[in-house]
Amino acid sequence: MKILKQDKKEGMMELLPETLDDLWHLSHIVEVGDNVSSKTTRRIQDNTGDKLRSDRGVKKTFFLGIEVESISFHIFTGKLRLTGVITRGPEDLIPLGSHHTLEVKLNTPLIIKKDKWSKYAIKRVNQAIESSKKLSAIIVVLEDDTATLGLIRQFGIEYYGPINGSVSGKRIIDKNRNKNILQFYQKIVDAILKFDDIQNIIVAGPGFVKNDFYDFLKDKYKDLAKKSIVENIGTGGRVGIGEVIKKGTVEKLTVENRVANEIMAVNDLLTNIAKNSSKVVYGLQQTKDAVNMGAVEKLLVLDLEIPKNNLESIMEIVENMSGEVVVISSEHEGGQQLESLGGVAAILRYAIS
């Protein structure tokens, strides 16, 4: 993410999203009521002459602004859509006051104008800028002749695969078995090399395939092998990727990993709840009460709940009292678990009655 232009007096910031992570950050920076402008494409009817009933008009690209009414980020397609009432645009082509959906594009500037930029929104912009300088990690989970890849992103885990090989079992006589194994490993490497700036790789799985694949890397792709560590887990597929995250393996790498930290924070919370600890609260009102008493050591907040319940005030209180605030993404398992607890919870310095 880059800041191209900023006018604090006007409450305007022009941002350039460069990665999928940036779109995810923008989905939380933009709020209902903001005025957002960008280039967009819209189908325009030609009313200058006779046209067939089947004529759907022509697509035209122009600069357009809307007052945002709804925001949607689709994790699997990586698309961020902002829908609202048109406030700015070529009036000869589109009627002001009608509705339009802006699809935010990578490497296309986006102008956001707010009545007031909150500390949380500004912090989110800075987080996106800083995270763009950080390096990603990729988890490769192998089981028999199947591999699943998980790319660690700011918004969560992006899955790729499965990648399937044509490897017969050891008990089946197949003179091409070794050749098929090498082809399978090569397919995995080809998939890894599609990603830029992958600095850390976790090779994991329940059997010996992971070790054989690591040996393949050491023999054929020494640069990738230097970036890799091997981890033993109990199962394959996406469940295996989740197991790697829960074990804290990613934290062994020299890469910032917000996802692992968030999941571990939620797991710590759930462990305290399971023990019936008196030093934990959850739910909106109970947590607010604990914050106002100055009892909160660590505040966990679901990202979606911040604008919905105006939680910035209690986040600031906790930070001002030297507490820790952890914003949990709704896009992974930890966020879903926190949501089931009301979207906000806290670990306390001391028990409160």
Side-chain angles (χ1 to χ4, degrees), residues 5 12 14 35-40 42 62-67 84-92 94-98 100 102 110-113:
K5 192 184 299 181
M12 182 277 291
E14 184 175 6
N35 198 286
V36 177
S37 306
S38 183
K39 281 185 178 179
T40 190
R42 185 175 169 114
F62 45 84
F63 200 79
L64 185 143
I66 64 170
E67 183 175 314
V85 176
I86 298 172
T87 58
R88 177 184 178 188
E91 295 185 45
D92 58 324
I94 47 99
L96 299 185
S98 61
H100 181 76
L102 283 176
L110 183 77
I111 297 174
I112 304 171
K113 188 174 182 181

Side-chain angles (χ1 to χ4, degrees), residues 247-266:
K247 289 181 72 171
T249 307
V250 180
E251 292 193 331
K252 299 176 184 177
L253 308 176
T254 56
V255 60
E256 180 187 69
N257 180 33
R258 185 191 53 79
V259 179
N261 290 336
E262 289 180 15
I263 290 177
M264 290 183 71
V266 174

Side-chain angles (χ1 to χ4, degrees), residues 17-33:
E18 300 173 294
T19 68
L20 193 59
D21 287 342
D22 291 342
L23 297 185
W24 175 72
H25 280 295
L26 282 171
S27 72
H28 296 287
I29 292 167
V30 176
E31 299 172 286
V32 172

Side-chain angles (χ1 to χ4, degrees), residues 27-308:
S27 72
H28 296 287
I29 292 167
V30 176
E31 299 172 286
V32 172
D34 289 350
N35 198 286
V36 177
S37 306
S38 183
K39 281 185 178 179
T40 190
T41 299
R42 185 175 169 114
R43 193 176 294 277
I44 305 296
Q45 292 289 345
D46 182 6
N47 297 317
T48 59
D50 295 334
K51 58 184 178 65
L52 299 175
R53 286 179 179 273
S54 60
D55 182 9
R56 298 176 60 229
V58 294
K59 285 186 177 181
K60 293 191 177 182
T61 300
F62 45 84
F63 200 79
L64 185 143
I66 64 170
E67 183 175 314
V68 178
E69 293 182 342
S70 66
I71 303 153
S72 64
F73 175 69
H74 300 275
I75 185 170
F76 295 110
T77 61
K79 291 183 177 180
L80 172 60
R81 292 189 173 97
L82 309 174
T83 301
V85 176
I86 298 172
T87 58
R88 177 184 178 188
E91 295 185 45
D92 58 324
L93 296 178
I94 47 99
L96 299 185
S98 61
H99 280 77
H100 181 76
T101 296
L102 283 176
E103 184 173 315
V104 183
K105 304 281 189 181
L106 294 180
N107 300 307
T108 299
L110 183 77
I111 297 174
I112 304 171
K113 188 174 182 181
K114 294 176 177 284
D115 291 334
K116 179 185 178 183
W117 280 81
S118 66
K119 285 178 64 176
Y120 170 72
I122 294 171
K123 186 176 181 180
R124 199 79 191 228
V125 171
N126 292 330
Q127 183 182 355
I129 293 170
E130 187 62 28
S131 67
S132 67
K133 303 173 186 176
K134 302 294 181 180
L135 303 173
S136 298
I138 194 167
I139 301 171
V140 182
V141 171
L142 298 99
E143 187 175 29
D144 299 327
D145 62 348
T146 302
T148 305
L149 276 57
L151 189 67
I152 306 300
R153 293 193 177 276
Q154 289 287 302
F155 61 79
I157 305 166
E158 189 173 348
Y159 296 99
Y160 289 85
I163 299 168
N164 297 310
S166 302
V167 182
S168 58
K170 290 183 178 180
R171 296 182 181 181
I172 300 175
I173 300 174
D174 183 355
K175 62 181 181 180
N176 293 320
R177 187 174 188 276
N178 288 336
K179 179 182 176 182
N180 291 338
I181 290 174
L182 294 178
Q183 289 177 343
F184 172 47
Y185 291 167
Q186 187 61 53
K187 285 172 68 175
I188 300 171
V189 169
D190 291 343
I192 293 173
L193 293 175
K194 290 179 181 178
F195 304 109
D196 296 327
D197 299 324
I198 297 296
Q199 297 297 310
N200 300 278
I201 302 169
I202 301 171
V203 180
F208 295 103
V209 181
K210 63 180 182 298
N211 304 90
D212 293 339
F213 176 67
Y214 181 64
D215 290 339
F216 174 80
L217 292 181
K218 288 193 293 184
D219 183 41
K220 302 288 186 181
Y221 296 91
K222 290 181 172 58
D223 288 344
L224 291 182
K226 289 177 183 178
K227 302 174 184 178
S228 303
I229 63 171
V230 178
E231 181 65 71
N232 186 58
I233 53 176
T235 187
R238 296 190 178 192
V239 175
I241 291 172
E243 187 177 340
V244 171
I245 293 290
K246 287 181 179 179
K247 289 181 72 171
T249 307
V250 180
E251 292 193 331
K252 299 176 184 177
L253 308 176
T254 56
V255 60
E256 180 187 69
N257 180 33
R258 185 191 53 79
V259 179
N261 290 336
E262 289 180 15
I263 290 177
M264 290 183 71
V266 174
N267 285 342
D268 186 27
L269 174 76
L270 295 175
T271 299
N272 276 279
I273 292 174
K275 292 179 180 178
N276 291 318
S277 172
S278 57
K279 294 175 66 177
V280 62
V281 293
Y282 54 89
L284 183 59
Q285 192 56 53
Q286 293 91 328
T287 306
K288 279 186 173 182
D289 291 343
V291 169
N292 291 328
M293 294 174 66
V296 173
E297 180 177 318
K298 180 184 289 187
L299 177 68
L300 279 65
V301 180
L302 189 69
D303 52 13
L304 297 179
E305 294 294 322
I306 296 172
K308 187 188 300 182

